Amino acid sequence: MTAQTQNVPEIELNNGVAIPQFGFGVFQIPPEDTAEAVRTALEAGYRHLDTAQLYDNEQGVGQGIRQSGLPREEIFVTTKLANDAQGHDNAITALEGSLQRLGLEQVDLYLIHWPLPHQDKYVRTWQGFEELLHAGKTRAIGVSNFQIAHLERLAEESGTVPAVNQIELHPALQQAELREYHRAHGIVTEAWSPLAQGEVLEEQVLTELAGKFGKTAAQVVLRWHLQIGNVVFPKSKTPDRIRENIDVFDFELSDEDIDAIGRLDAGHRTGFDPDTFRG
Ligand code: NAD
């Protein structure tokens, strides 16, 4: 076990399963490069991997895990249901496909990737997810890109509160309202595009804080996420950056530093709007 692995805190999900607060995202890593990137991340101490059926690289994630030689139970693996596979039966079949590509018996967390309200299938999909949980195909179930109205509907029409909601969240889009809703309902906030895909890293507040701590702006942003309670999984293909991103456990932002980053909120999305995205 590397020092960084021990540094990463775990957060308890609402069904008692523990999730490492820091992980590695593989969106946009080409299938042929994924096993190597995953191996590098695992060597650097990451123990949480975030993939999706849509990323087309679940096979590489599975290969990277096997090549690392690490015991399966030491790695937390999330995958997500593709948008064209919503519905009760489809969701069940789709996870079988993901497990086959990953070469795993079970994932740790399975997410509905987008609510797609125009399809009006996410409640039936969620009922399929509840069955998958009870069958042991996944240790926890959650959602991604759900707005409060979508979470409220699940609360009214199902008996399982999502363990997490994975949403776009970074200094330029801080999502105060959703984070507060999550806190009040025991849903863990996962922040996707935690670095806004690099877009925010030139902000003066961040470069100044980076100078003050002798860290990079990316490390300051990732530290901010951890201190405000988000789960993060930045993506990089570059080995030095993969190691840099997890090296955020030797400094601490003050309340004033956190407030200063708070003022960067601009309601700026880099990705799709969940209310209108159609898959
Ligand atoms: P990110 O914010 O992690 O940014 C990644 C990009 O930032 C890299 O491609 C690189 O250009 C840059 N970068 C990374 N490390 C850096 C460093 N140390 N210094 C400077 N630049 C650096 O964005 P992302 O990949 O979109 O999001 C991370 C993960 O979130 C994804 O891999 C995926 O797992 C998840 N995600 C989920 C959804 C969803 O709909 N659920 C959508 C997007 C992403």
Side-chain angles (χ1 to χ4, degrees):
M1 191 187 280
T2 72
Q4 294 299 9
T5 306
Q6 284 166 326
N7 285 333
V8 175
E10 289 192 332
I11 293 182
E12 193 176 314
L13 301 174
N14 60 13
N15 68 346
V17 167
I19 185 170
Q21 197 184 355
F22 201 96
F24 184 62
V26 297
F27 177 45
Q28 290 175 330
I29 300 188
E32 64 278 13
D33 299 335
T34 303
E36 193 182 333
V38 164
R39 240 178 21 241
T40 305
L42 293 172
E43 272 164 26
Y46 295 70
R47 291 293 181 271
H48 167 180
L49 305 170
D50 185 271
T51 185
Q53 192 180 345
L54 280 171
Y55 301 168
D56 196 24
N57 56 18
E58 289 170 312
Q59 225 160 357
V61 169
Q63 274 165 11
I65 291 172
R66 285 187 293 283
Q67 289 167 2
S68 76
L70 286 164
R72 163 69 185 98
E73 62 276 12
E74 283 185 19
I75 306 169
F76 190 99
V77 182
T78 298
T79 194
K80 315 183 192 86
L81 175 74
N83 293 326
D84 62 2
Q86 285 220 22
H88 172 277
D89 296 357
N90 283 350
I92 291 171
T93 315
L95 181 55
E96 280 305 332
S98 286
L99 289 172
Q100 244 169 40
R101 287 185 292 277
L102 286 160
L104 300 177
E105 303 276 312
Q106 178 191 54
V107 287
D108 296 280
L109 180 61
Y110 194 40
L111 305 181
I112 301 182
H113 206 144
W114 287 87
L116 308 172
H118 70 288
Q119 283 191 8
D120 194 21
K121 285 186 183 166
Y122 63 81
V123 174
R124 287 294 290 143
T125 305
W126 190 242
Q127 289 159 353
F129 271 48
E130 289 175 309
E131 286 176 29
L132 288 166
L133 179 66
H134 293 136
K137 297 288 178 184
T138 178
R139 294 171 67 225
I141 53 175
V143 295
S144 178
N145 299 301
F146 273 43
Q147 304 279 49
I148 289 175
H150 310 134
L151 294 169
E152 285 281 280
R153 186 150 170 227
L154 283 192
E156 279 159 24
E157 299 185 36
S158 84
T160 313
V161 177
V164 311
N165 187 15
Q166 183 178 125
I167 54 173
E168 181 177 352
L169 202 174
H170 43 70
L173 181 71
Q174 297 193 14
Q175 302 265 29
E177 216 186 328
L178 254 175
R179 287 184 55 236
E180 176 51 29
Y181 182 94
H182 294 164
R183 197 200 52 73
H185 293 84
I187 300 169
V188 167
T189 300
E190 293 195 332
W192 65 252
S193 291
L195 303 171
Q197 300 209 334
E199 270 185 37
V200 293
L201 301 179
E202 304 292 317
E203 290 287 350
Q204 196 181 345
V205 175
L206 300 174
T207 53
E208 279 177 12
L209 285 171
K212 172 170 138 187
F213 290 107
K215 305 296 278 189
T216 65
Q219 289 171 320
V220 168
V221 173
L222 294 168
R223 182 73 210 175
W224 169 79
H225 281 286
L226 295 175
Q227 286 187 222
I228 67 169
N230 300 333
V231 171
V232 275
F233 24 80
K235 168 251 166 185
S236 177
K237 253 178 65 181
T238 315
D240 283 344
R241 282 183 171 173
I242 292 175
R243 290 186 280 270
E244 171 190 324
N245 289 344
I246 198 174
D247 183 14
V248 289
F249 296 99
D250 58 356
F251 72 111
E252 180 136 3
L253 300 170
S254 68
D255 291 346
E256 293 92 78
D257 298 336
I258 289 179
D259 289 346
I261 297 173
R263 288 192 285 277
L264 293 177
D265 192 11
H268 170 69
R269 282 188 192 280
T270 62
F272 300 112
D273 182 333
D275 284 320
T276 53
F277 179 55
R278 298 174 78 83

